[in-house]
Amino acid sequence: QVQLVESGGGLVQPGGSLRLSCAASGFTLDYYAIGWFRQAPGKEREGVACFSSSDGTTHYADSVKGRFTISRDNAKNPVYLQMSSLLPEDTAVYYCATNINRANWCGLHSSDYNYWGQGTQVTVSS
């Protein structure tokens, strides 16, 4: 059974940092992408970053380039989203997702992913 579990969300002041984790089980992450998405109240879900485990390819939304970093240390570790210089507009529920029917790829369109975690809340406020 494919499962994705996010953790690491919380309340942080503007300019601060958080690291989110996405732990995967029920499949071999080594061949597939992990995408991070976010959804703020009243807004559509937005692709933030993605990581292709097969070759390390990454993509970022323009709104987070230079501030967020997606990575995975090794085959035993989850995929991380390191968020720095956080802004109030980064406030959202953050989700990780994967598509186990598509290898050697990553993208930022939510419709390309078929498994999702439950989400973790990130609030940036003073």
Side-chain angles (χ1 to χ4, degrees):
Q1 181 180 0
V2 174
Q3 283 193 319
L4 299 172
V5 179
E6 305 95 337
S7 61
L11 173 65
V12 63
Q13 292 187 342
S17 299
L18 278 177
R19 188 177 77 163
L20 305 183
S21 297
C22 176
S25 62
F27 69 105
T28 302
L29 183 58
D30 292 352
Y31 305 108
Y32 304 108
I34 289 291
W36 279 100
F37 295 80
R38 66 186 181 187
Q39 189 165 19
K43 294 188 176 181
E44 292 190 356
R45 191 166 294 188
E46 172 192 20
V48 174
C50 70
F51 176 84
S52 172
S53 298
S54 60
D55 61 6
T57 298
T58 59
H59 294 296
Y60 296 93
D62 288 343
S63 58
V64 306
K65 279 181 181 176
R67 301 188 299 121
F68 291 12
T69 302
I70 189 170
S71 65
R72 184 181 181 213
D73 291 341
N74 59 55
K76 295 184 179 180
N77 281 0
V79 175
Y80 300 107
L81 184 68
Q82 178 68 46
M83 306 186 296
S84 303
S85 302
L86 283 162
L87 305 168
E89 48 263 45
D90 294 319
T91 296
V93 178
Y94 283 72
Y95 302 88
C96 66
T98 193
N99 183 338
I100 64 169
N101 297 321
R102 190 172 178 181
N104 305 318
W105 152 93
C106 84
L108 297 180
H109 296 288
S110 60
S111 59
D112 290 330
Y113 291 80
N114 55 11
Y115 288 93
W116 294 81
Q118 82 289 349
T120 185
Q121 176 71 46
V122 172
T123 302
V124 184
S125 174
S126 55

